[in-house]
């Protein structure tokens, strides 16, 4: 009990830096270098570690790290009490060794049908992002989330007071890595040396996180060299299962679902995640840094961190533009990013499929980088029909999570019935149980099962995907799953109207979070789970770029591949045929007069969408019809969302745009 109290006091002092600016746990002045041949016991002037279990450094040399990084590692080791410390170098040899260890432990299984592909099955209680347990802690609540209308539950993020956060963290992290290895992961979000790139250091007790971060980020020794004596984002992660475990470990996947918390501490540029090993909760460079903390940094520094794909489009005349697109998870971002056009002469190339960091350069051009180096894609629905480039990407050097396994050692999920027939075969489902197509009632793969694959595998990766300056953006696209009322594509009247369109996005809920069912949810900018600060202030930030002289503002569009007819069938064929919408967008960017003004924005003029060569006739009139009743209700729903979620923080421009929409809809 005394040790627990001691560890808790260390952690209170450790996180106290965000409260009173002090940090007194470890003093490194006079400390001599620590190498893999020595123990932390040999470090001089360490106040907390002498009374805790002393981890040995089994790989790397702490003494070669900068003072701030040494202190962060030693502080965290004093609290978490790992048995060993391993400083990751990001090498192929290291990755192979970690995978071999996980294979021996039963945490991963080789898929022999493919080249260096691996399957992991998680605890069924740890399968998705947990939004209700994801918090941002700041001094003032309104800095983080808008104050909703009285009696209404806020839906634009979760805030926790610094006092409550201190109590939450100190009740979890002390001793959490006992018996395990603390891996030190140096990583860069963005190309090394890019003016937009950010360096993070993740400390984790999960080898799955290490090998996944090696795919998803630039990771290893080269990052430490780039860091030098500079600043870094602190990322502390633990599965929350010290050894010996008190909770049964399912599928060799340690976790602590009853104690999960994902905490963001923006005032000290730190992220702490506990209890979950699932990617969105444990790969802290991804949603946590790249979007939640990233959006805060972007607000401070004058850029944007967005839940957007980035792709390049080249038309038959050789003109190429780049666009970004924001869709909620599982709404086709990866499919669009890797699209194979059906229109002759068009080419689409991938810069990224999920996250974009954007900044106007000195010439007023909006430039975007993909901060990631891999794809963490939703598996179900991915097929040779929906995304042949993704299928080519994931046949080597890929980690699969919660997919099914075929008898010949391959992957399988719902959507692959035609590509990989399994009639009469017994598969192993995502829970490790036998599964047959006709005899099993539950899906073989979890709806949020994932593939984690490097971008370098992608056959259509853009030649400029790692350009440190970023690619120039000509158009921004918003979209979501809307089965009725919303047309295939329309264009904003201007920048301010485009910001309004982003704020008003609604879509069916997805399996990427803990929600289930098909409710239509407000998901502004596809960022609802990822806002790092007050959404009203976020809107002001977007609007500010339209007020800055010299900015060459991209056009803004909205797309909807998912409109259905009266029989409940999709009207638009989607997938590769979506290039026909991109064709219209390219022509609009080029200034072509091929649009007509409507109540909601510019629609394609009759005949402007190229339908030549479509296999089946499309009811284009129905696809672009604007039902007055639907849009009347849509405007009311947007107004209700504003009134309930942003009663004090809604920019006046958004209210004016809503009033304008209502007036135009009444004239339909």
């Amino acid at each position: 009990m005394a040790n627990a109290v001691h560890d808790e006091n260390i952690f209170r002092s450790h996180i106290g830096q965000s409260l009173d600016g002090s940090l007194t746990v470890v003093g490194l002045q006079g400390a001599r270098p620590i190498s893999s041949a020595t123990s932390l016991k040999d470090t001089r002037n360490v106040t907390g570690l002498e009374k805790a279990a002393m981890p040995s450094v089994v790989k790397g040399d702490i003494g070669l790290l900068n003072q701030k990084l040494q202190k962060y590692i030693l502080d965290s080791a004093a609290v978490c009490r790992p048995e060993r410390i391993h400083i990751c170098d990001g090498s192929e040899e290291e990755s192979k060794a970690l995978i071999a260890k996980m294979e021996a432990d039963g945490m991963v299984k080789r898929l022999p049908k493919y080249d260096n592909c691996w399957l992991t099955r998680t605890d069924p209680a740890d399968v998705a992002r947990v939004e209700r347990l994801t918090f941002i802690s700041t001094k003032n609540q309104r800095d983080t989330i808008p104050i909703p209308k009285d009696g209404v539950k806020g839906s634009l993020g979760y805030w926790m007071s610094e006092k409550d956060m201190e109590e939450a963290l100190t009740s979890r992290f002390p001793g959490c890595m006992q018996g395990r290895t603390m891996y030190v992961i140096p990583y860069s979000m963005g190309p090394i040396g890019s003016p937009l790139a950010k360096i993070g250091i993740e400390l984790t007790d999960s080898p799955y996180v290490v090998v996944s971060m090696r795919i998803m980020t630039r990771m290893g020794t080269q990052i430490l060299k780039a860091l030098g004596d500079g600043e870094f984002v602190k990322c502390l992660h633990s599965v929350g299962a010290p050894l010996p475990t008190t909770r049964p470990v399912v599928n060799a996947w340690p976790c602590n679902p009853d104690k999960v918390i994902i905490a963001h501490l923006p005032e000290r540029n730190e992220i702490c995640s506990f209890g979950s090993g699932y990617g969105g909760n444990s790969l802290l460079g991804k949603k946590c840094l790249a979007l939640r903390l990233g959006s805060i940094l972007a607000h401070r520094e004058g850029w944007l961190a967005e839940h957007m794909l980035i792709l390049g489009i080249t038309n038959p005349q050789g003109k190429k533009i780049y666009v970004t697109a924001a869709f909620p998870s599982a709404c086709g971002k990866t499919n669009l990013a890797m699209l194979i056009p059906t229109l002759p002469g068009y080419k689409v190339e991938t810069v990224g499929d999920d996250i974009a960091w954007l900044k106007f350069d000195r010439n007023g051009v909006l430039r975007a980088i993909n901060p990631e180096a891999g794809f963490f894609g939703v598996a179900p629905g991915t097929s040779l029909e929906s995304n042949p480039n993704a299928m080519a990407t994931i046949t080597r050097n890929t980690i699969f999570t919660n997919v099914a396994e075929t008898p010949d050692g391959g992957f399988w999920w719902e959507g692959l019935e035609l590509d990989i027939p399994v009639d009469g075969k017994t598969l192993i489902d995502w829970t490790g149980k036998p599964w047959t197509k006709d005899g099993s009632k539950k899906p073989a793969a979890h709806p949020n099962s994932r593939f984690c694959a490097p971008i370098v595998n992608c056959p259509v990766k853009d030649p400029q995907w790692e350009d440190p300056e970023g690619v120039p953006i000509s158009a921004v696209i918003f979209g979501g799953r809307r089965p009725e009322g919303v047309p295939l594509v329309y264009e904003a009247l201007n920048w301010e109207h485009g910001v309004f369109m982003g704020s008003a996005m609604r879509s069916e809920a997805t399996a990427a979070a803990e929600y289930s069912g098909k409710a239509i949810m407000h998901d502004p900018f596809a960022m609802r789970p990822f806002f790092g600060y007050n959404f009203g202030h976020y809107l002001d930030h977007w609007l500010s770029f339209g007020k800055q002289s010299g900015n060459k503002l991209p056009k803004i569009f909205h797309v909807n591949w998912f409109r259905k007819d009266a029989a409940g069938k999709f009207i638009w064929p989607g997938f590769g045929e979506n290039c026909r919408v991109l064709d219209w967008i390219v022509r609009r960017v080029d200034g072509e007069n091929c649009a007509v003004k409507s109540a909601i924005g510019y629609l394609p003029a009759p005949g402007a969408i190229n339908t030549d060569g479509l296999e089946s006739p499309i009811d284009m009139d129905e696809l672009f019809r604007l039902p007055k009743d639907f849009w009347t209700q849509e405007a009311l729903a947007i107004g209700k969302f504003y009134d309930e979620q942003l009663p004090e923080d809604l920019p006046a421009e958004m209210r004016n745009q809503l009033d304008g929409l209502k007036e135009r809809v009444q004239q339909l």
Side-chain angles (χ1 to χ4, degrees):
M1 185 65 183
N3 280 341
V5 172
H6 174 71
D7 291 340
E8 182 169 318
N9 288 337
I10 291 175
F11 199 71
R12 287 183 185 277
S13 178
H14 174 55
I15 70 167
Q17 187 178 28
S18 66
L19 304 181
D20 59 17
S22 65
L23 179 59
T24 58
V25 178
V26 179
L28 288 171
Q29 292 77 12
R32 62 178 180 266
I34 303 169
S35 70
S36 57
T38 63
S39 164
L40 292 181
K41 286 183 180 180
D42 297 323
T43 306
R44 301 179 198 163
N45 203 22
V46 175
T47 61
L49 289 170
E50 293 174 355
K51 297 181 181 179
M54 304 302 174
S56 59
V57 182
V58 296
K59 184 171 183 177
D61 190 336
I62 289 182
L64 297 179
L65 307 179
N66 77 36
Q67 293 285 297
K68 291 185 288 289
L69 180 49
Q70 289 187 43
K71 180 167 285 196
Y72 179 51
I73 294 170
L74 296 178
D75 284 353
S76 300
V79 174
C80 300
R81 298 175 63 189
E83 185 172 311
R84 298 164 293 274
I85 294 177
H86 174 133
I87 301 172
C88 298
D89 61 18
S91 66
E92 181 72 22
E93 293 73 20
E94 178 181 71
S95 180
K96 287 180 178 178
L98 289 173
I99 288 175
K101 180 184 184 304
M102 288 192 289
E103 184 178 24
D105 292 343
M107 192 176 191
V108 301
K109 181 179 183 181
R110 182 184 292 274
L111 293 176
K113 188 175 179 179
Y114 313 107
D115 179 18
N116 192 34
C117 288
W118 302 87
L119 169 64
T120 186
R121 299 184 178 98
T122 73
D123 187 311
D126 189 22
V127 295
R129 285 184 285 106
V130 189
E131 292 175 18
R132 71 185 186 280
L133 300 175
T134 301
F135 300 95
I136 296 171
S137 181
T138 54
K139 286 184 173 65
N140 300 309
Q141 180 177 358
R142 197 170 169 185
D143 290 343
T144 297
I145 57 174
I147 306 303
K149 183 179 179 180
D150 287 346
V152 173
K153 181 181 178 182
S155 65
L156 293 168
Y158 294 87
W159 174 84
M160 186 180 288
S161 71
E162 291 179 329
K163 179 178 181 296
D164 289 345
M165 180 62 73
E166 179 182 351
E167 292 176 357
L169 298 181
T170 54
S171 69
R172 288 166 168 81
F173 278 94
C176 65
M177 295 186 184
Q178 183 173 305
R180 299 190 182 276
T181 300
M182 173 187 280
Y183 299 96
V184 180
I185 307 174
Y187 68 94
S188 175
M189 299 306 291
I192 300 171
S194 168
L196 270 179
K198 301 292 181 185
I199 289 178
I201 303 293
E202 177 161 357
L203 310 179
T204 180
D205 53 7
S206 168
Y208 170 87
V209 169
V210 179
V211 296
S212 298
M213 286 288 282
R214 183 174 181 270
I215 293 172
M216 293 303 302
T217 71
R218 291 90 175 164
M219 187 268 270
T221 303
Q222 73 272 27
I223 308 304
L224 292 175
K225 293 178 181 177
L227 175 62
D229 291 328
E231 298 294 329
F232 56 90
V233 178
K234 301 173 183 176
C235 304
L236 178 62
H237 167 258
S238 174
V239 295
L243 296 174
T245 59
T246 57
R247 178 183 181 274
V249 177
V250 180
N251 291 330
W253 182 268
C255 60
N256 191 342
D258 293 335
K259 300 286 284 185
V260 168
I261 189 168
I262 300 94
H264 304 73
L265 310 169
E267 293 182 17
R268 59 179 294 177
N269 280 356
E270 185 161 0
I271 302 160
C272 298
S273 174
F274 184 92
S276 172
Y278 167 77
N281 303 325
S282 64
L283 309 183
L284 300 186
K286 193 166 176 60
K287 306 299 191 187
C288 293
L289 193 165
L291 288 179
R292 296 189 193 97
L293 195 58
S295 66
I296 297 171
L297 296 173
H299 188 220
R300 290 177 191 165
E301 299 170 5
W303 48 282
L304 294 164
E306 299 297 330
H307 190 204
M308 292 179 172
L309 65 85
I310 312 168
L311 60 81
I313 315 165
T314 305
N315 70 9
Q317 292 73 43
K319 178 180 175 63
K320 183 173 187 177
I321 69 168
Y322 289 92
V323 307
T324 62
F327 303 155
S329 295
C331 286
K333 287 198 310 300
T334 301
N335 291 348
L336 183 61
M338 300 185 191
L339 180 139
I340 296 179
T342 56
L343 285 177
Y346 262 94
K347 181 167 64 174
V348 169
E349 294 168 298
T350 308
V351 177
D353 77 323
D354 193 38
I355 298 171
W357 286 358
L358 307 102
K359 187 175 184 178
F360 285 93
D361 67 15
R362 65 177 62 91
N363 298 314
V365 175
L366 184 62
R367 292 189 170 270
I369 66 167
N370 173 15
E372 300 186 294
F375 303 115
F376 190 66
V378 175
T382 304
S383 67
L384 290 175
E385 178 189 17
S386 68
N387 197 335
N389 283 320
M391 294 296 290
T393 299
I394 62 178
T395 57
R396 63 189 187 279
N397 302 326
T398 297
I399 299 171
F400 297 88
T401 303
N402 288 339
V403 304
E405 180 186 2
T406 60
D408 61 347
F411 55 70
W412 198 87
W413 49 76
E414 281 64 28
L416 289 178
E417 290 83 355
L418 297 179
D419 301 338
I420 307 176
V422 293
D423 300 86
K425 298 179 180 179
T426 300
L427 280 64
I428 303 300
D429 73 8
W430 73 275
T431 67
K433 298 177 181 178
W435 183 93
T436 60
K437 182 178 177 182
D438 296 327
S440 301
K441 296 181 180 179
K442 295 182 178 180
H446 189 274
N448 194 41
S449 56
R450 297 279 173 158
F451 55 80
C452 182
I455 289 179
V456 294
N457 284 9
C458 182
V460 291
K461 62 182 177 296
D462 192 90
Q464 302 303 312
W465 82 272
E466 283 201 290
D467 187 332
E469 299 300 319
V471 296
I473 300 301
S474 298
V476 174
I477 303 171
F478 297 122
R481 286 182 174 268
R482 298 304 304 272
E484 60 177 312
V486 179
L488 178 65
V489 61
Y490 60 103
E491 177 188 336
L493 301 173
N494 50 49
W495 180 262
E496 183 180 297
H497 181 236
V499 176
F500 167 73
M501 282 165 44
S503 78
M505 282 174 58
R506 303 174 72 207
S507 185
E508 286 183 339
T510 78
E514 73 268 30
Y515 299 103
S516 60
K518 295 294 184 180
I520 302 294
M521 298 179 63
H522 291 275
D523 196 351
F525 291 80
M527 281 284 287
R528 184 192 53 77
F530 310 121
F531 290 121
Y533 63 102
N534 185 310
F535 176 49
H537 304 165
Y538 170 94
L539 290 172
D540 280 328
H541 188 50
W542 266 79
L543 290 168
S544 72
F545 295 110
K547 300 171 184 177
Q548 296 171 7
S549 62
N551 282 349
K552 300 171 183 176
L553 300 170
K555 286 181 173 288
I556 299 179
F557 299 85
H558 189 286
V559 299
N560 175 32
W561 320 127
F562 304 101
R563 190 160 176 172
K564 296 181 178 180
D565 60 19
K569 296 182 178 180
F570 292 120
I571 302 174
W572 183 249
F575 305 129
E577 304 297 359
N578 292 337
C579 70
R580 300 170 186 273
V581 173
L582 296 180
D583 167 64
W584 183 74
I585 289 173
V586 169
R587 287 151 50 205
R588 289 297 294 157
V589 166
D590 206 29
E592 183 176 328
N593 183 16
C594 54
V596 294
K597 193 172 184 179
S598 77
I600 64 171
Y602 293 107
L603 295 174
I609 298 292
N610 184 346
T611 58
D612 294 344
L614 283 172
E615 290 186 3
S616 303
I618 303 295
D619 188 345
M620 300 299 284
D621 290 339
E622 178 61 22
L623 196 57
F624 285 97
R625 186 172 65 89
L626 303 178
K628 183 175 182 178
D629 288 348
F630 173 88
W631 279 98
T632 298
Q633 292 302 312
E634 186 76 1
L636 290 173
I638 296 167
K640 183 172 184 284
F641 174 71
Y642 284 170
D643 291 342
E644 291 184 347
Q645 299 297 327
L646 295 159
E648 300 177 20
D649 294 301
L650 182 70
E653 295 93 334
M654 296 297 94
R655 178 66 64 187
N656 294 337
Q657 287 291 335
L658 177 58
D659 291 342
L661 174 64
K662 290 179 177 178
E663 291 175 5
R664 295 190 299 272
V665 166
Q666 290 309 306
Q667 297 171 14
L668 285 173

